[in-house]
Amino acid sequence: MFAKENVDYTLYLVTDSTMLPEGTTLESQVEAGLKNGVTLVQLREKETPTKTFIQEALKVQKLCKHYGVPLIINDRVDVALAINADGVHVGQDDMPIPMVRKLLGPEKIIGWSVGYTHEVEQLTKWGPEGVDYIGIGMVFPTNTKKNPKKAPMGPVGVSNILGALQEYEAKWCKTVAIGGLHPDCIPRVLYQCGSPDGRRMLDGISVVSDIMAAPDAGSATKKLRDILAKKRYDFIPGLISNSTTFHPDQMAEYLDRTKTNRPLIQHITNKVHQNFGANVTLALGSSPIMSEINSEFKELSLIPHATLLLNTGSVAPLEVLIDAVKAYNESQRPIVFDPVGYSATETRLNLNNHVLTAGQFACIKGNSGEILSLAGLSQGKMKGVDSGYNGSDLSLLIKATKIVAYRYRTVSVCTGKTDIVADGTFAGAYEPSGGMLGDWSSIPCFTIVCGDIPIMECITASGCSLGSTIACLIGGVSGNANVLGAVLTAVTLYKSAGQKASSRCRGSGSFHVELIDALYQFFTSNQPLEWAASIHQV
Ligand SMILES: Nc1ncnc2c1ncn2[C@@H]1O[C@H](COP(=O)(O)OP(=O)(O)OP(=O)(O)O)[C@@H](O)[C@H]1O
Ligand SMILES: Cc1ncsc1CCO
Ligand SMILES: [Mg+2]
């Protein structure tokens, strides 16, 4: 009998014998997994008749015993009892947990599939005598479940569940994530999934096809173990650092780097912004390219200093956006995401959430309406792409900016009269099971101020072009510079240029031209200490 408290949830293999490659068997795949670091096995054979299921279970049980790993049976409490397995995993539509416990007794492991926070509330009512661990999912779309009842929840959905476990103080309950987890996304899932109080991350991950369908299940398992051993997701190597302060005299170096490195800025952006964004990019010594052709994304992302500005203002097809995110993540190059009109309509909300689920972003920038909705702090919908929020409650906006930075482990920017920048990356570091190095409220945060410049709201795509500016500065980063410094430099430059342009223009038409002039002049002369906008740590 396996002692419950000693179960290691790190790498949980769930079987499916419908996907075995030729020349392998259920047992040979499971054994290859066990030999190379699988820590828990679940026999999940939906199509197998009872008699065969029991025969297989006995064989797999023998293997599990040999390697000292517990065996869990999916759904079939009778089979688990018949072979004296270590536990049972049940779904929401299977036998109720109290009955399962009554049949199995207190020593056995009981797992439950959970997708919603109210299920966590239910679980805490049963207490430690009920569920021992939950499978949180599904995280991403998967072929393993033919007719999924739930939409993929993404890392934010998983984090909400982990948050509920903390809130209800379900300390005993362990967690694994399941659904569409593969080596390309597991590091990001481990990094992004955590409770808002920073104290709890996943105890493990669950895989099916990566081992069951692998021609070489042993090396596939080893690869997974290597990923799971890391405590850092270095998504843009060298560019995220744990510096928590910033000195304005560093800004000149950031401008110099962009000048020297002349980054390529791929724009996927709205039609209103395209020409403006390209000209701002050129004014800042960088090379713009507008592209929505999937087949060239990978090639573009591999050009040194390539950076992607992804703006959902008028929208390219979802597959195009997702392909771009995947290409830049794979090439470990930064993405600046501007979710224009995030919650203005159901369509935009779904589309932007889908993009957010698809990858890791170096920076997420929005106006106050967008950032408040992203943080879940807004009352009602945004009217259109304008913020619709007068920005009077600065502390609420700071809170929202920090929550967005923390939730997406990114550097977030909230624009308005006062701009706010927060860094929730923790330099890519996390502590499996344990948590992040702090909660959302403790992350570094700055405001950038330059008085009221109302005319900045009188031209279209001024926020979008701040996105281009941020991309130019992040794209230039090399050496010991980092994303936070680049973003602070970009926001301060842009605000200062806005102030200069507003003092020179005759109306919103010439303001537009003067803004590009001022960006060009400030970039070329490179004397940030003379700029009007100032940075304050809050
Ligand atoms: N009242 C203001 N005073 C000073 N700066 C402002 C003011 N309003 C906006 N800005 C600046 O204008 C830029 C755009 O901010 P805004 O919040 O209007 O973005 P946005 O609504 O996303 O823009 P758009 O959708 O038109 O691209 C930012 O750089 C911001 O700092
Ligand atoms: C006006 C407008 N509509 C969609 S995107 C955009 C540019 C400002 O965000
Ligand atoms: Mg605006």
Side-chain angles (χ1 to χ4, degrees):
M1 173 61 109
F2 205 95
K4 243 167 40 167
E5 47 298 345
N6 297 336
V7 179
D8 176 354
Y9 290 90
T10 308
L11 182 52
Y12 189 177
L13 170 62
V14 178
T15 69
D16 183 345
S17 54
T18 65
M19 52 171 74
L20 298 170
E22 249 184 63
T24 68
T25 63
L26 176 62
E27 291 81 52
S28 74
Q29 293 295 78
V30 171
E31 178 155 29
L34 287 167
K35 230 185 226 163
N36 291 286
V38 161
T39 60
L40 189 58
V41 175
Q42 179 185 136
L43 201 62
R44 180 176 179 276
E45 299 295 333
K46 295 279 186 200
E47 326 264 317
T48 314
T50 306
K51 188 171 166 185
T52 327
F53 190 66
I54 288 179
Q55 283 163 352
E56 307 254 283
L58 286 168
K59 285 190 213 155
V60 172
Q61 186 178 41
K62 207 167 153 192
L63 286 172
C64 285
K65 282 199 169 135
H66 179 76
Y67 289 93
V69 163
L71 173 66
I72 309 289
I73 302 294
N74 182 276
D75 191 7
R76 297 288 301 266
V77 181
D78 54 342
V79 174
L81 282 169
I83 69 156
N84 192 27
D86 299 289
V88 169
H89 184 95
V90 289
Q92 291 292 326
D93 297 334
D94 299 333
M95 188 186 287
I97 295 294
M99 292 185 184
V100 181
R101 179 59 77 202
K102 202 167 155 195
L103 290 169
L104 290 186
E107 311 295 331
K108 299 283 185 193
I109 304 158
I110 297 182
W112 203 34
S113 300
V114 163
Y116 300 97
T117 50
H118 67 82
E119 293 160 357
V120 173
E121 188 184 358
Q122 172 60 62
L123 164 170
T124 52
K125 289 185 183 143
W126 295 320
E129 286 76 45
V131 175
D132 296 299
Y133 79 87
I134 55 174
I136 307 177
M138 36 183 232
V139 188
F140 300 121
T142 161
N143 297 328
T144 326
K145 285 221 165 185
K146 300 281 184 299
N147 299 304
K149 288 178 219 114
K150 303 169 200 162
M153 53 166 54
V156 167
V158 177
S159 298
N160 289 338
I161 302 285
L162 295 171
L165 286 167
Q166 286 297 95
E167 215 173 292
Y168 292 108
E169 296 180 16
K171 283 200 170 52
W172 73 88
C173 184
K174 302 290 182 187
T175 59
V176 294
I178 183 159
L181 301 182
H182 304 291
D184 62 337
C185 64
I186 289 169
R188 177 165 70 88
V189 166
L190 293 172
Y191 173 56
Q192 289 187 348
C193 296
S195 58
D197 70 359
R199 298 240 171 94
R200 184 194 262 265
M201 301 194 93
L202 290 165
D203 295 299
I205 56 127
S206 213
V207 298
V208 185
S209 60
D210 267 302
I211 295 177
M212 294 314 290
D216 180 350
S219 62
T221 309
K222 273 204 196 104
K223 186 172 172 187
L224 290 165
R225 284 297 308 211
D226 285 346
I227 293 173
L228 287 158
K230 296 218 170 85
K231 294 184 178 182
R232 196 181 155 90
Y233 176 40
D234 207 0
F235 54 97
I236 31 178
L239 304 197
I240 37 172
S241 91
N242 52 8
S243 68
T244 53
T245 55
F246 185 74
H247 300 291
D249 54 11
Q250 292 172 259
M251 289 196 285
E253 286 171 48
Y254 280 90
L255 297 180
D256 267 341
R257 287 196 172 90
T258 294
K259 203 169 284 178
T260 308
N261 293 325
R262 221 184 148 72
L264 178 81
I265 313 299
Q266 182 186 339
H267 282 59
I268 297 180
T269 191
N270 64 77
K271 298 176 177 70
V272 184
H273 174 232
Q274 283 177 358
N275 184 273
F276 188 9
N279 280 315
V280 164
T281 304
L282 287 166
L284 302 178
S286 309
S287 305
I289 182 167
M290 308 287 139
S291 168
E292 296 177 13
I293 312 169
N294 318 39
S295 55
E296 67 180 12
F297 293 166
K298 186 75 200 177
E299 198 179 334
L300 289 173
S301 70
L302 288 169
I303 293 171
H305 293 279
T307 298
L308 174 68
L309 175 68
L310 193 61
N311 172 308
T312 50
S314 65
V315 169
L318 181 61
E319 312 82 67
V320 171
L321 305 178
I322 304 282
D323 284 353
V325 170
K326 296 225 152 110
Y328 277 76
N329 274 184
E330 251 174 54
S331 303
Q332 301 188 305
R333 289 301 304 159
I335 306 172
V336 177
F337 184 48
D338 187 349
V340 177
Y342 173 69
S343 66
T345 60
E346 267 318 287
T347 303
R348 275 175 196 264
L349 186 68
N350 289 335
L351 178 119
N352 283 307
N353 279 338
H354 212 117
V355 174
L356 284 163
T357 301
Q360 175 69 44
F361 302 91
C363 175
I364 297 177
K365 180 211 75 73
N367 60 34
S368 46
E370 285 146 6
I371 295 295
L372 284 168
S373 326
L374 277 163
L377 295 177
S378 69
Q379 271 99 34
K381 281 185 180 169
M382 297 175 60
K383 189 177 100 216
V385 298
D386 283 339
S387 85
Y389 181 79
N390 65 16
S392 55
D393 187 350
L394 186 61
S395 65
L396 180 69
L397 293 175
I398 288 173
K399 179 176 175 182
T401 311
K402 284 182 169 184
I403 288 176
V404 172
Y406 188 85
R407 185 173 279 181
Y408 298 101
R409 308 279 188 263
T410 193
V411 175
S412 66
V413 180
C414 176
T415 59
K417 183 181 161 199
T418 298
D419 295 325
I420 308 161
V421 174
D423 184 350
T425 59
F426 295 91
Y430 59 90
E431 191 64 48
S433 308
M436 303 303 295
L437 312 166
D439 68 357
W440 64 264
S441 68
S442 65
I443 65 173
C445 187
F446 305 80
T447 57
I448 293 86
V449 290
C450 194
D452 198 3
I453 319 168
I455 202 161
M456 286 198 89
E457 294 178 79
C458 298
I459 58 166
T460 191
S462 62
C464 307
S465 283
L466 172 60
S468 305
T469 304
I470 291 170
C472 292
L473 269 295
I474 292 180
V477 166
S478 60
N480 56 2
N482 60 64
V483 170
L484 174 63
V487 173
L488 285 168
T489 304
V491 173
T492 311
L493 164 66
Y494 198 80
K495 183 75 110 193
S496 305
Q499 190 274 339
K500 180 63 84 186
S502 77
S503 73
R504 289 172 174 171
C505 72
R506 284 163 288 122
S508 58
S510 55
F511 174 72
H512 190 264
V513 175
E514 292 285 356
L515 180 58
I516 298 178
D517 277 352
L519 285 168
Y520 176 86
Q521 287 159 1
F522 283 173
F523 183 77
T524 313
S525 62
N526 196 355
Q527 293 183 310
L529 298 178
E530 289 175 11
W531 297 349
S534 55
I535 306 175
H536 309 266
Q537 188 145 13
V538 289

